[in-house]
Amino acid sequence: MTFRRGTGFLGGMTVGGLLVVAGIALGGAGGKPPADTADVLRARSLEIVDEVGTVRLVVGTNERGGTMSVRDRLGRTVLLLGAVEHGGMLVATNTKGRQAALMAGATAAGGAVQLFDPAGRRGVDLMVGGLGGELGLRSVGAPGPGTDVEKQKPALHLRVDENRTGSVTGHDGRGAPRFNLGADAGGGGVIETYRGSGGRALVALSSTVGGHGQVKTTAPNGQTMVIMTATARDEGQVYTYDANGTPLVALASRASGPSLRVFNALGTPAVTIESDTEGNGTVSVWKPDGAGRSLEP
C-alpha cells in the first residue's frame, strides 16, 4: 500500500471539516454555557489565527469528507488530518525539510503507517496485508539508475507468508533477495541465502518430508552441489555433485549398513566401501564398463 502525497490531498486538507474542530475548540468545556453561546455553528471553512494574524488552524472539507490543517507559529503546516477513500488519514510534516515525516491511515486491508526522512524518502512501512501484518525497512540511500522508488523492495521485509507463518526476507539495492527465514508447507523451518544476481539460493537449511533436517548448497547455475539429509529410518546421508549434476561422492546407508561410493566423471561408481549383512567390510574397484574386483576378509 502506497500513500501518494499529491496536491489533491494536501490542498483538500486546507479547506474543510467542522466536526473535528468543534471537538477540539469547544469540547471539554465544563459547566453551563453562557446564554449567548450558539448550539450549532455552520460554515464552509474555519480559520483560527494568533494575535498577529498568522493562521494556526484551518478546518474544512474535501471531496471525501472533513479535513484539518494544524500549523506552527510561522504558518507552516505540521499536521494534516482528513478523510480519504478507505477512512481517515494523518500526515505529520517535518518543518526542516518541509516533507511528510509520517503518514498513517486506513486502507482496504486495514491500517498503514509510513515514515520518511527529512528529504521525503520513505524508510519504514508498517501495514496490514492480505495475510496479516507487514513491516518493511527501506534504505534511504540514492537508488540506482532507472530505479522506481515506489516499487523498490524493502531492505528487510517481515511478513506473514502464504503458510500463515512469520517470514523475514532481506533484499539488496536492486531488489534481489539475499536471505530468507520462514517455514515450508509442512511447518518446518527454512533458512536460505541467495546471490544477488538471479536470486538463486546459495545455501538452504530446511527439513524433509519425514521431519529430518537438511542442508543443501548450490552452484551459480542453480545445480545442487552438496546435500546433507537423512532417510525415513533416521540414517544420515551426504551427497556431493559437480556443476553439471554428476555425482561425485555418496555417503549413505543400506539395509546391510553404511556405504561410501566414489564416482568417476561419467557418474558411475569407481570405488565402493561397504559392509555386508554379517558385518564384514568390502572394498571394490570398478571400471567404467562395470567390470571390477572386490577385496573381502
Side-chain angles (χ1 to χ4, degrees):
M1 191 285 301
T2 300
F3 293 128
R4 299 189 178 275
R5 304 191 301 276
T7 55
F9 173 72
L10 297 182
M13 296 298 278
T14 64
V15 228
L18 182 60
L19 181 59
V20 178
V21 76
I24 295 176
L26 304 179
K32 184 177 180 179
D36 59 350
T37 300
D39 292 331
V40 178
L41 177 63
R42 296 175 61 86
R44 295 190 60 83
S45 64
L46 177 66
E47 291 187 356
I48 306 298
V49 299
D50 60 16
E51 64 278 3
V52 297
T54 302
V55 177
R56 295 295 188 92
L57 180 69
V58 178
V59 181
T61 61
N62 62 17
E63 67 277 8
R64 297 288 183 181
T67 62
M68 182 171 68
S69 170
V70 179
R71 305 180 182 186
D72 66 8
R73 61 185 179 85
L74 299 178
R76 299 174 299 188
T77 298
V78 294
L79 186 66
L80 300 172
L81 297 125
V84 293
E85 179 182 2
H86 299 290
M89 174 179 280
L90 178 150
V91 181
T93 304
N94 186 318
T95 55
K96 176 181 178 181
R98 302 302 302 274
Q99 300 284 343
L102 177 149
M103 288 186 177
T107 69
V113 177
Q114 294 180 339
L115 304 179
F116 303 82
D117 72 358
R121 296 172 296 190
R122 193 163 87 247
V124 178
D125 296 327
L126 177 62
M127 68 194 73
V128 177
L131 299 174
E134 293 188 36
L135 172 63
L137 304 181
R138 298 178 176 275
S139 170
V140 296
T147 301
D148 187 337
V149 177
E150 292 299 320
K151 295 182 179 179
Q152 188 176 15
K153 294 182 178 180
L156 189 65
H157 189 191
L158 289 77
R159 69 191 187 283
V160 178
D161 63 20
E162 58 276 5
N163 296 314
R164 301 289 177 178
T165 57
S167 175
V168 180
T169 303
H171 299 94
D172 62 17
R174 297 184 300 274
R178 285 303 180 93
F179 68 87
N180 181 68
L181 288 75
D184 57 27
V190 176
I191 300 175
E192 295 177 324
T193 64
Y194 305 88
R195 59 181 51 83
S197 59
R200 296 184 182 276
L202 291 172
V203 179
L205 287 75
S206 60
S207 60
T208 65
V209 175
H212 300 91
Q214 180 170 272
V215 179
K216 181 187 293 186
T217 67
T218 60
N221 64 357
Q223 174 60 50
T224 299
M225 302 298 295
V226 178
I227 295 179
M228 300 173 62
T229 185
T231 68
R233 298 191 300 270
D234 300 326
E235 299 164 334
Q237 297 184 336
V238 179
Y239 302 91
T240 67
Y241 305 85
D242 65 15
N244 297 317
T246 303
L248 299 176
V249 176
L251 178 59
S253 300
R254 304 177 304 154
S256 59
S259 171
L260 172 62
R261 297 192 175 200
V262 178
F263 298 85
N264 59 27
L266 301 177
T268 58
V271 179
T272 60
I273 301 176
E274 300 171 338
S275 62
D276 58 26
T277 56
E278 297 179 356
N280 299 312
T282 301
V283 178
S284 303
V285 293
W286 309 92
K287 294 181 179 181
D289 61 5
R293 62 177 62 183
S294 298
L295 175 63
E296 299 178 354

